[in-house]
Amino acid sequence: MERSEISKLGEFGLIDRISKRFEKNLSSTVLGIGDDAAVIDIGNEYLLMSTDMLIEGPHFNLSYVPLKHLGYKAVAVNVSDIAAMNGRPEQITISLGLSNRFSVEAVDELYEGIKAACKSFNVDLVGGDTTSSPAGLTIAINIIGRVAKDQIAYRTGAKVNDIICATGDLGAAYMGLQVLEREKEVFLSNPNMQPDLEKYEYIVGRQLKPEARMDIVYDLLESKIVPTSMIDISDGIASELLHISAQSGVGVKVFEDKLPIDGQTYETAVEMNLDPVTCALNGGEDYELLFTINPSEYEKLKNHPDIHFIGHIHSDASQNLLITKQGNVVALKAQGWTHF
Ligand code: ADP
Ligand code: MG
Protein backbone atom coordinates (compact mmCIF):
# COMPACT_ATOMS: atom_id res chain seq x y z
CA MET A 1 0.00 0.00 0.00
CA GLU A 2 1.17 3.51 -0.69
CA ARG A 3 2.40 5.53 2.25
CA SER A 4 0.55 8.82 2.82
CA GLU A 5 2.14 11.69 4.68
CA ILE A 6 0.16 13.18 7.56
CA SER A 7 1.26 16.63 6.39
CA LYS A 8 -0.89 16.13 3.29
CA LEU A 9 -4.02 15.80 5.43
CA GLY A 10 -3.02 18.30 8.08
CA GLU A 11 -4.13 18.16 11.72
CA PHE A 12 -7.80 18.89 11.03
CA GLY A 13 -7.91 16.52 8.05
CA LEU A 14 -6.46 13.77 10.21
CA ILE A 15 -8.97 14.38 13.02
CA ASP A 16 -11.75 14.35 10.44
CA ARG A 17 -10.55 11.02 9.08
CA ILE A 18 -10.46 9.50 12.58
CA SER A 19 -13.85 10.93 13.44
CA LYS A 20 -15.48 9.39 10.34
CA ARG A 21 -14.51 5.91 11.53
CA PHE A 22 -16.37 6.19 14.81
CA GLU A 23 -20.01 6.55 15.56
CA LYS A 24 -21.75 7.32 18.84
CA ASN A 25 -23.24 4.17 20.31
CA LEU A 26 -24.31 5.34 23.74
CA SER A 27 -27.34 7.48 24.37
CA SER A 28 -25.35 9.37 27.01
CA THR A 29 -22.86 10.60 24.38
CA VAL A 30 -24.39 13.92 23.38
CA LEU A 31 -21.40 15.18 21.38
CA GLY A 32 -18.16 13.41 20.47
CA ILE A 33 -15.35 14.80 18.35
CA GLY A 34 -15.76 18.31 16.99
CA ASP A 35 -15.98 20.85 19.77
CA ASP A 36 -13.72 22.10 22.57
CA ALA A 37 -14.96 19.32 24.84
CA ALA A 38 -17.06 16.19 24.52
CA VAL A 39 -20.54 16.42 26.06
CA ILE A 40 -21.98 13.61 28.15
CA ASP A 41 -25.50 13.46 29.55
CA ILE A 42 -25.34 12.66 33.25
CA GLY A 43 -28.95 13.40 34.09
CA ASN A 44 -29.70 16.90 35.18
CA GLU A 45 -26.47 18.38 33.83
CA TYR A 46 -23.92 17.79 31.10
CA LEU A 47 -20.48 16.49 31.90
CA LEU A 48 -17.72 18.03 29.76
CA MET A 49 -14.54 16.13 28.96
CA SER A 50 -11.44 17.30 27.16
CA THR A 51 -7.75 16.55 26.86
CA ASP A 52 -4.67 18.46 25.76
CA MET A 53 -1.08 17.36 25.46
CA LEU A 54 2.06 19.51 25.65
CA ILE A 55 5.30 18.13 24.25
CA GLU A 56 8.77 19.53 24.74
CA GLY A 57 9.88 20.89 21.38
CA PRO A 58 6.73 21.73 19.46
CA HIS A 59 4.97 23.26 22.49
CA PHE A 60 7.61 24.57 24.83
CA ASN A 61 11.33 25.19 25.14
CA LEU A 62 12.70 24.74 28.63
CA SER A 63 15.63 27.04 27.92
CA TYR A 64 13.27 29.94 28.62
CA VAL A 65 10.10 28.40 30.04
CA PRO A 66 10.28 27.92 33.82
CA LEU A 67 8.78 24.56 34.85
CA LYS A 68 6.47 26.27 37.29
CA HIS A 69 4.94 28.35 34.53
CA LEU A 70 4.69 25.31 32.31
CA GLY A 71 2.70 23.46 34.96
CA TYR A 72 0.32 26.39 35.31
CA LYS A 73 -0.09 26.71 31.56
CA ALA A 74 -0.75 22.99 31.05
CA VAL A 75 -3.72 23.23 33.41
CA ALA A 76 -4.93 26.60 32.11
CA VAL A 77 -5.13 25.43 28.48
CA ASN A 78 -7.34 22.53 29.55
CA VAL A 79 -9.57 24.76 31.67
CA SER A 80 -9.87 27.01 28.62
CA ASP A 81 -11.57 24.21 26.66
CA ILE A 82 -14.15 23.80 29.43
CA ALA A 83 -14.68 27.58 29.51
CA ALA A 84 -15.24 27.43 25.73
CA MET A 85 -18.32 25.25 26.37
CA ASN A 86 -19.53 27.80 28.94
CA GLY A 87 -18.81 25.20 31.64
CA ARG A 88 -17.10 25.01 35.00
CA PRO A 89 -13.96 22.87 35.38
CA GLU A 90 -13.91 20.30 38.19
CA GLN A 91 -11.30 17.52 38.06
CA ILE A 92 -8.09 16.84 36.16
CA THR A 93 -5.75 13.88 35.73
CA ILE A 94 -2.16 14.41 34.62
CA SER A 95 0.05 11.99 32.71
CA LEU A 96 3.77 12.65 32.56
CA GLY A 97 6.49 11.27 30.33
CA LEU A 98 9.88 12.10 31.83
CA SER A 99 13.37 11.51 30.49
CA ASN A 100 16.23 11.05 32.96
CA ARG A 101 17.21 14.67 32.33
CA PHE A 102 14.57 15.61 34.91
CA SER A 103 15.23 15.53 38.65
CA VAL A 104 12.77 15.17 41.52
CA GLU A 105 13.21 18.88 42.16
CA ALA A 106 12.27 19.63 38.56
CA VAL A 107 9.06 17.61 38.94
CA ASP A 108 8.36 19.46 42.21
CA GLU A 109 8.68 22.75 40.41
CA LEU A 110 6.33 21.64 37.64
CA TYR A 111 3.75 20.58 40.23
CA GLU A 112 4.07 23.86 42.07
CA GLY A 113 2.68 25.54 38.97
CA ILE A 114 0.03 22.84 38.57
CA LYS A 115 -1.02 23.40 42.16
CA ALA A 116 -1.27 27.15 41.70
CA ALA A 117 -3.50 26.62 38.67
CA CYS A 118 -5.69 24.10 40.51
CA LYS A 119 -6.17 26.71 43.21
CA SER A 120 -6.83 29.57 40.85
CA PHE A 121 -9.38 27.66 38.71
CA ASN A 122 -10.79 25.66 41.62
CA VAL A 123 -10.10 22.22 40.18
CA ASP A 124 -8.94 19.04 41.92
CA LEU A 125 -6.09 16.91 40.66
CA VAL A 126 -7.41 13.37 41.08
CA GLY A 127 -4.99 11.07 39.27
CA GLY A 128 -2.71 10.49 36.33
CA ASP A 129 0.08 8.30 35.05
CA THR A 130 3.86 8.51 35.20
CA THR A 131 6.27 6.94 32.77
CA SER A 132 9.84 7.30 31.59
CA SER A 133 10.35 8.72 28.16
CA PRO A 134 13.32 8.36 25.79
CA ALA A 135 13.63 12.12 25.44
CA GLY A 136 12.13 15.26 26.79
CA LEU A 137 9.00 16.02 28.75
CA THR A 138 5.40 15.27 27.84
CA ILE A 139 2.42 16.48 29.84
CA ALA A 140 -1.03 15.19 28.96
CA ILE A 141 -3.99 16.45 30.95
CA ASN A 142 -7.57 15.22 31.02
CA ILE A 143 -10.18 17.51 32.39
CA ILE A 144 -13.83 17.16 33.25
CA GLY A 145 -16.27 19.92 33.97
CA ARG A 146 -19.99 20.52 34.13
CA VAL A 147 -22.55 22.81 32.61
CA ALA A 148 -26.29 23.24 32.99
CA LYS A 149 -28.05 21.83 29.92
CA ASP A 150 -29.57 25.18 28.97
CA GLN A 151 -26.24 27.00 29.30
CA ILE A 152 -23.98 24.97 27.08
CA ALA A 153 -22.35 26.81 24.16
CA TYR A 154 -21.30 24.80 21.09
CA ARG A 155 -19.34 25.93 18.04
CA THR A 156 -22.43 25.23 15.95
CA GLY A 157 -25.01 27.76 17.15
CA ALA A 158 -24.04 31.11 15.58
CA LYS A 159 -27.04 32.74 13.85
CA VAL A 160 -27.45 35.44 11.23
CA ASN A 161 -27.06 38.94 12.75
CA ASP A 162 -25.37 37.67 15.91
CA ILE A 163 -22.61 39.89 17.22
CA ILE A 164 -19.10 38.41 17.32
CA CYS A 165 -17.27 39.00 20.60
CA ALA A 166 -13.64 38.46 21.58
CA THR A 167 -12.24 38.77 25.09
CA GLY A 168 -8.97 40.30 26.26
CA ASP A 169 -6.44 41.08 23.59
CA LEU A 170 -4.94 39.12 20.73
CA GLY A 171 -1.49 38.29 19.44
CA ALA A 172 0.35 39.07 22.69
CA ALA A 173 1.35 35.48 23.46
CA TYR A 174 2.70 35.10 19.94
CA MET A 175 4.74 38.30 20.20
CA GLY A 176 5.97 37.18 23.63
CA LEU A 177 7.21 33.99 22.02
CA GLN A 178 9.01 35.96 19.30
CA VAL A 179 10.80 37.99 21.99
CA LEU A 180 11.79 34.87 23.95
CA GLU A 181 13.08 33.20 20.79
CA ARG A 182 15.07 36.28 19.84
CA GLU A 183 16.59 36.66 23.30
CA LYS A 184 17.48 32.97 23.33
CA GLU A 185 19.50 33.46 20.14
CA VAL A 186 21.28 36.47 21.66
CA PHE A 187 22.01 34.52 24.84
CA LEU A 188 23.31 31.48 22.93
CA SER A 189 25.65 33.58 20.83
CA ASN A 190 26.96 35.49 23.86
CA PRO A 191 26.21 33.84 27.23
CA ASN A 192 27.42 36.96 29.06
CA MET A 193 24.57 38.99 27.66
CA GLN A 194 21.60 38.82 29.99
CA PRO A 195 18.28 39.08 28.18
CA ASP A 196 16.50 42.37 28.73
CA LEU A 197 12.86 41.46 28.99
CA GLU A 198 11.48 44.26 31.15
CA LYS A 199 10.19 46.20 28.19
CA TYR A 200 8.28 43.12 27.06
CA GLU A 201 6.90 42.05 30.42
CA TYR A 202 3.25 41.93 29.41
CA ILE A 203 3.63 39.94 26.20
CA VAL A 204 6.19 37.54 27.68
CA GLY A 205 3.79 36.99 30.59
CA ARG A 206 0.99 36.24 28.13
CA GLN A 207 3.17 33.56 26.51
CA LEU A 208 4.48 32.01 29.73
CA LYS A 209 1.43 32.24 31.96
CA PRO A 210 -1.86 32.32 30.06
CA GLU A 211 -5.12 32.48 31.98
CA ALA A 212 -8.25 30.57 31.03
CA ARG A 213 -11.14 33.06 30.93
CA MET A 214 -13.36 31.52 33.58
CA ASP A 215 -14.08 35.06 34.77
CA ILE A 216 -15.94 35.65 31.49
CA VAL A 217 -17.96 32.45 31.92
CA TYR A 218 -19.08 33.68 35.36
CA ASP A 219 -19.80 37.20 34.03
CA LEU A 220 -22.00 35.73 31.28
CA LEU A 221 -23.83 33.59 33.80
CA GLU A 222 -24.43 36.62 36.02
CA SER A 223 -25.71 38.63 33.05
CA LYS A 224 -27.98 35.69 32.16
CA ILE A 225 -26.45 35.45 28.69
CA VAL A 226 -25.85 32.16 26.93
CA PRO A 227 -23.58 32.71 23.92
CA THR A 228 -25.09 31.29 20.73
CA SER A 229 -21.67 29.80 19.93
CA MET A 230 -18.28 29.77 21.61
CA ILE A 231 -14.72 28.53 21.07
CA ASP A 232 -11.45 29.31 22.80
CA ILE A 233 -8.72 31.05 20.86
CA SER A 234 -5.79 28.66 20.87
CA ASP A 235 -4.68 28.62 17.21
CA GLY A 236 -5.29 32.30 16.35
CA ILE A 237 -8.66 34.02 16.09
CA ALA A 238 -8.79 33.76 12.28
CA SER A 239 -8.69 29.97 12.48
CA GLU A 240 -11.31 29.93 15.27
CA LEU A 241 -13.62 32.27 13.31
CA LEU A 242 -13.45 29.86 10.39
CA HIS A 243 -14.36 26.98 12.74
CA ILE A 244 -17.44 28.89 13.92
CA SER A 245 -18.35 29.63 10.31
CA ALA A 246 -17.94 26.05 9.08
CA GLN A 247 -19.60 24.43 12.09
CA SER A 248 -22.49 26.90 12.37
CA GLY A 249 -23.02 27.11 8.58
CA VAL A 250 -22.83 30.91 8.58
CA GLY A 251 -20.36 33.59 7.45
CA VAL A 252 -18.35 35.97 9.63
CA LYS A 253 -17.54 39.60 8.98
CA VAL A 254 -14.91 41.14 11.23
CA PHE A 255 -13.53 44.64 11.34
CA GLU A 256 -9.78 45.06 11.51
CA ASP A 257 -10.05 48.21 13.62
CA LYS A 258 -12.15 46.39 16.23
CA LEU A 259 -9.55 43.68 16.91
CA PRO A 260 -8.22 44.18 20.45
CA ILE A 261 -4.44 44.58 20.27
CA ASP A 262 -2.41 45.63 23.29
CA GLY A 263 0.05 48.52 22.82
CA GLN A 264 3.04 46.36 23.70
CA THR A 265 1.98 43.73 21.15
CA TYR A 266 1.58 46.42 18.51
CA GLU A 267 4.93 48.10 19.20
CA THR A 268 6.86 44.85 19.38
CA ALA A 269 5.35 43.65 16.09
CA VAL A 270 6.37 46.89 14.39
CA GLU A 271 9.85 46.63 15.94
CA MET A 272 10.18 43.13 14.45
CA ASN A 273 8.84 44.16 11.06
CA LEU A 274 5.67 42.12 11.53
CA ASP A 275 2.16 43.30 10.78
CA PRO A 276 0.35 43.68 14.15
CA VAL A 277 -3.00 42.74 12.60
CA THR A 278 -1.61 39.55 11.08
CA CYS A 279 -0.14 38.68 14.49
CA ALA A 280 -3.48 39.35 16.22
CA LEU A 281 -5.39 37.26 13.68
CA ASN A 282 -2.99 34.34 13.48
CA GLY A 283 -0.71 34.31 16.50
CA GLY A 284 -1.63 31.33 18.66
CA GLU A 285 -2.01 30.69 22.38
CA ASP A 286 -4.13 33.69 23.34
CA TYR A 287 -6.54 31.41 25.28
CA GLU A 288 -9.17 34.12 25.08
CA LEU A 289 -12.80 33.34 24.22
CA LEU A 290 -14.48 33.98 20.91
CA PHE A 291 -18.27 33.89 21.07
CA THR A 292 -21.43 35.13 19.42
CA ILE A 293 -24.46 36.69 21.07
CA ASN A 294 -27.94 37.54 19.93
CA PRO A 295 -28.00 41.33 19.25
CA SER A 296 -30.67 41.72 21.95
CA GLU A 297 -27.99 40.88 24.57
CA TYR A 298 -25.64 43.65 23.46
CA GLU A 299 -26.95 46.22 25.96
CA LYS A 300 -26.06 43.92 28.85
CA LEU A 301 -22.46 43.48 27.71
CA LYS A 302 -21.62 46.77 26.05
CA ASN A 303 -19.87 48.22 29.09
CA HIS A 304 -17.88 45.10 29.93
CA PRO A 305 -14.25 46.25 30.08
CA ASP A 306 -12.81 43.09 28.57
CA ILE A 307 -15.31 42.03 25.91
CA HIS A 308 -14.85 43.48 22.43
CA PHE A 309 -17.40 43.49 19.64
CA ILE A 310 -15.46 42.71 16.51
CA GLY A 311 -18.05 41.94 13.86
CA HIS A 312 -21.20 40.05 13.02
CA ILE A 313 -22.62 36.94 11.45
CA HIS A 314 -24.27 36.75 8.03
CA SER A 315 -25.86 33.93 6.10
CA ASP A 316 -23.24 33.03 3.49
CA ALA A 317 -20.83 30.48 4.98
CA SER A 318 -18.53 30.83 1.96
CA GLN A 319 -17.99 34.55 2.64
CA ASN A 320 -15.74 35.03 5.64
CA LEU A 321 -14.67 38.60 5.45
CA LEU A 322 -12.25 41.03 6.99
CA ILE A 323 -12.97 44.74 6.61
CA THR A 324 -9.65 46.54 6.64
CA LYS A 325 -9.01 49.92 8.26
CA GLN A 326 -9.22 51.46 4.78
CA GLY A 327 -12.63 49.90 4.26
CA ASN A 328 -11.48 47.21 1.83
CA VAL A 329 -13.24 43.86 2.01
CA VAL A 330 -10.84 40.91 1.95
CA ALA A 331 -11.25 37.17 2.51
CA LEU A 332 -10.42 36.12 6.06
CA LYS A 333 -7.62 33.55 5.91
CA ALA A 334 -6.17 31.44 8.67
CA GLN A 335 -2.41 31.11 8.69
CA GLY A 336 -2.42 29.77 12.22
CA TRP A 337 -0.15 27.30 13.84
CA THR A 338 0.08 23.94 12.07
CA HIS A 339 1.48 20.80 13.63
CA PHE A 340 2.23 18.86 10.44
P1 ADP B 1 -8.84 22.22 20.80
O1 ADP B 1 -7.92 23.08 19.97
O2 ADP B 1 -10.06 22.92 21.27
O3 ADP B 1 -8.13 21.47 21.91
P2 ADP B 1 -8.56 20.31 18.74
O4 ADP B 1 -8.44 21.12 17.52
O5 ADP B 1 -7.33 19.75 19.38
O6 ADP B 1 -9.40 21.10 19.82
O7 ADP B 1 -9.53 19.09 18.46
C1 ADP B 1 -10.74 19.24 17.77
C2 ADP B 1 -11.62 18.05 18.06
O8 ADP B 1 -10.99 16.84 17.63
C3 ADP B 1 -11.92 17.84 19.54
O9 ADP B 1 -13.25 17.39 19.64
C4 ADP B 1 -10.95 16.74 19.95
O10 ADP B 1 -11.43 16.00 21.04
C5 ADP B 1 -10.86 15.90 18.69
N1 ADP B 1 -9.59 15.16 18.53
C6 ADP B 1 -8.35 15.70 18.40
N2 ADP B 1 -7.41 14.75 18.23
C7 ADP B 1 -8.06 13.55 18.25
C8 ADP B 1 -7.67 12.19 18.12
N3 ADP B 1 -6.39 11.85 17.95
N4 ADP B 1 -8.63 11.23 18.21
C9 ADP B 1 -9.92 11.57 18.39
N5 ADP B 1 -10.37 12.83 18.50
C10 ADP B 1 -9.46 13.82 18.44
MG1 MG C 1 -10.37 24.65 22.27
Side-chain angles (χ1 to χ4, degrees):
M1 222 174 34
E2 213 184 309
R3 177 194 148 89
S4 333
E5 297 300 330
I6 292 176
S7 58
K8 263 182 99 177
L9 275 184
E11 180 190 353
F12 298 130
L14 184 65
I15 294 172
D16 213 36
R17 183 184 168 97
I18 297 169
S19 139
K20 284 206 173 79
R21 297 168 72 163
F22 290 85
E23 55 203 35
K24 296 187 293 184
N25 288 313
L26 304 176
S27 60
S28 55
T29 310
V30 178
L31 179 73
I33 297 173
D35 215 308
D36 294 288
V39 181
I40 296 152
D41 194 339
I42 49 162
N44 56 347
E45 277 189 311
Y46 285 142
L47 189 78
L48 302 167
M49 189 168 136
S50 181
T51 185
D52 248 310
M53 181 157 68
L54 296 179
I55 293 191
E56 187 175 355
H59 293 114
F60 56 88
N61 184 327
L62 290 175
S63 64
Y64 53 72
V65 175
L67 282 162
K68 193 173 159 183
H69 285 76
L70 182 66
Y72 191 96
K73 180 168 177 173
V75 177
V77 305
N78 277 275
V79 171
S80 181
D81 277 324
I82 298 296
M85 306 302 291
N86 209 26
R88 314 177 299 281
E90 290 197 341
Q91 285 85 14
I92 55 169
T93 62
I94 301 190
S95 301
L96 283 186
L98 290 161
S99 77
N100 59 13
R101 215 176 92 227
F102 294 90
S103 63
V104 173
E105 289 72 25
V107 176
D108 280 350
E109 213 188 302
L110 179 73
Y111 271 82
E112 220 182 289
I114 290 171
K115 192 164 181 181
C118 285
K119 185 155 181 261
S120 126
F121 299 114
N122 194 24
V123 301
D124 282 341
L125 169 64
V126 294
D129 196 19
T130 309
T131 156
S132 64
S133 135
L137 172 64
T138 301
I139 310 168
I141 299 192
N142 275 296
I143 187 162
I144 60 173
R146 279 175 204 252
V147 61
K149 286 183 176 176
D150 58 0
Q151 274 159 19
I152 192 161
Y154 295 109
R155 294 177 180 181
T156 52
K159 299 279 182 302
V160 174
N161 292 331
D162 280 356
I163 298 171
I164 305 173
C165 311
T167 64
D169 61 77
L170 305 168
Y174 175 78
M175 284 319 305
L177 180 63
Q178 302 316 304
V179 167
L180 288 166
E181 284 286 336
R182 182 182 68 183
E183 297 304 320
K184 183 191 75 183
E185 294 305 321
V186 172
F187 184 73
L188 288 180
S189 58
N190 181 0
N192 296 325
M193 282 265 293
Q194 279 302 313
D196 169 25
L197 293 179
E198 219 166 273
K199 193 177 139 199
Y200 306 104
E201 198 180 342
Y202 177 69
I203 57 176
V204 166
R206 291 279 285 165
Q207 166 60 222
L208 293 180
K209 200 168 173 285
E211 289 293 346
R213 296 308 303 260
M214 283 309 302
D215 58 325
I216 298 289
V217 173
Y218 297 125
D219 288 349
L220 290 169
L221 186 67
E222 209 167 288
S223 313
K224 300 197 167 41
I225 294 174
V226 180
T228 52
S229 69
M230 186 145 69
I231 186 170
D232 70 329
I233 307 173
S234 53
D235 297 338
I237 195 170
S239 166
E240 317 302 0
L241 283 161
L242 296 181
H243 281 308
I244 294 281
S245 159
Q247 293 184 239
S248 294
V250 294
V252 302
K253 189 188 222 181
V254 295
F255 295 86
E256 195 184 281
D257 62 354
K258 303 275 188 223
L259 294 171
I261 304 177
D262 180 79
Q264 208 172 80
T265 305
Y266 195 97
E267 278 158 30
T268 312
V270 170
E271 181 193 319
M272 292 192 179
N273 288 321
L274 298 167
D275 173 31
V277 172
T278 306
C279 296
L281 284 169
N282 298 293
E285 300 192 287
D286 297 311
Y287 297 106
E288 295 292 341
L289 292 171
L290 168 67
F291 58 94
T292 53
I293 54 166
N294 186 288
S296 64
E297 312 278 33
Y298 173 72
E299 281 298 311
K300 289 196 245 170
L301 284 188
K302 71 173 189 202
N303 293 324
H304 194 293
D306 221 16
I307 295 177
H308 310 280
F309 308 96
I310 62 166
H312 43 256
I313 299 288
H314 60 91
S315 61
D316 188 349
S318 70
Q319 295 287 313
N320 291 302
L321 307 171
L322 178 70
I323 315 301
T324 68
K325 284 177 193 147
Q326 295 77 28
N328 297 324
V329 183
V330 299
L332 181 73
K333 295 245 165 50
Q335 320 156 2
W337 166 257
T338 49
H339 283 279
F340 300 103

Coordinates of all heavy atoms in Angstrom, one line a residue, residues 36 81 84 155 231-232 234, ligand 2:
D36 N -14.8 22.0 21.6 CA -13.7 22.1 22.6 C -13.7 21.0 23.6 O -12.7 20.7 24.2 CB -13.8 23.5 23.2 CG -13.5 24.6 22.2 OD1 -12.4 24.7 21.7 OD2 -14.5 25.3 21.8
D81 N -10.6 25.0 27.5 CA -11.6 24.2 26.7 C -12.9 24.0 27.4 O -13.9 23.9 26.7 CB -10.9 22.9 26.2 CG -10.0 23.0 25.0 OD1 -10.4 23.8 24.1 OD2 -9.0 22.3 25.0
A84 N -14.7 27.3 27.1 CA -15.2 27.4 25.7 C -16.6 26.8 25.5 O -17.3 27.0 24.6 CB -14.2 26.9 24.7
R155 N -19.9 25.1 19.2 CA -19.3 25.9 18.0 C -20.4 26.1 16.9 O -20.2 26.8 16.0 CB -18.1 25.2 17.4 CG -16.9 25.1 18.4 CD -15.8 24.3 17.7 NE -14.6 24.3 18.6 CZ -13.5 23.6 18.3 NH1 -13.4 23.0 17.1 NH2 -12.5 23.6 19.1
I231 N -15.9 29.3 21.3 CA -14.7 28.5 21.1 C -13.6 29.3 21.8 O -13.7 30.5 22.0 CB -14.4 28.4 19.5 CG1 -13.3 27.5 19.2 CG2 -14.2 29.8 18.9 CD1 -13.1 27.1 17.7
D232 N -12.6 28.6 22.2 CA -11.5 29.3 22.8 C -10.4 29.6 21.7 O -10.3 28.8 20.7 CB -10.9 28.6 24.1 CG -10.1 27.4 23.7 OD1 -10.5 26.7 22.8 OD2 -9.1 27.1 24.5
S234 N -7.1 29.3 20.6 CA -5.8 28.7 20.9 C -4.9 28.7 19.6 O -3.7 28.8 19.7 CB -6.0 27.2 21.3 OG -6.8 26.5 20.5
Ligands
MG2 MG -10.4 24.7 22.3

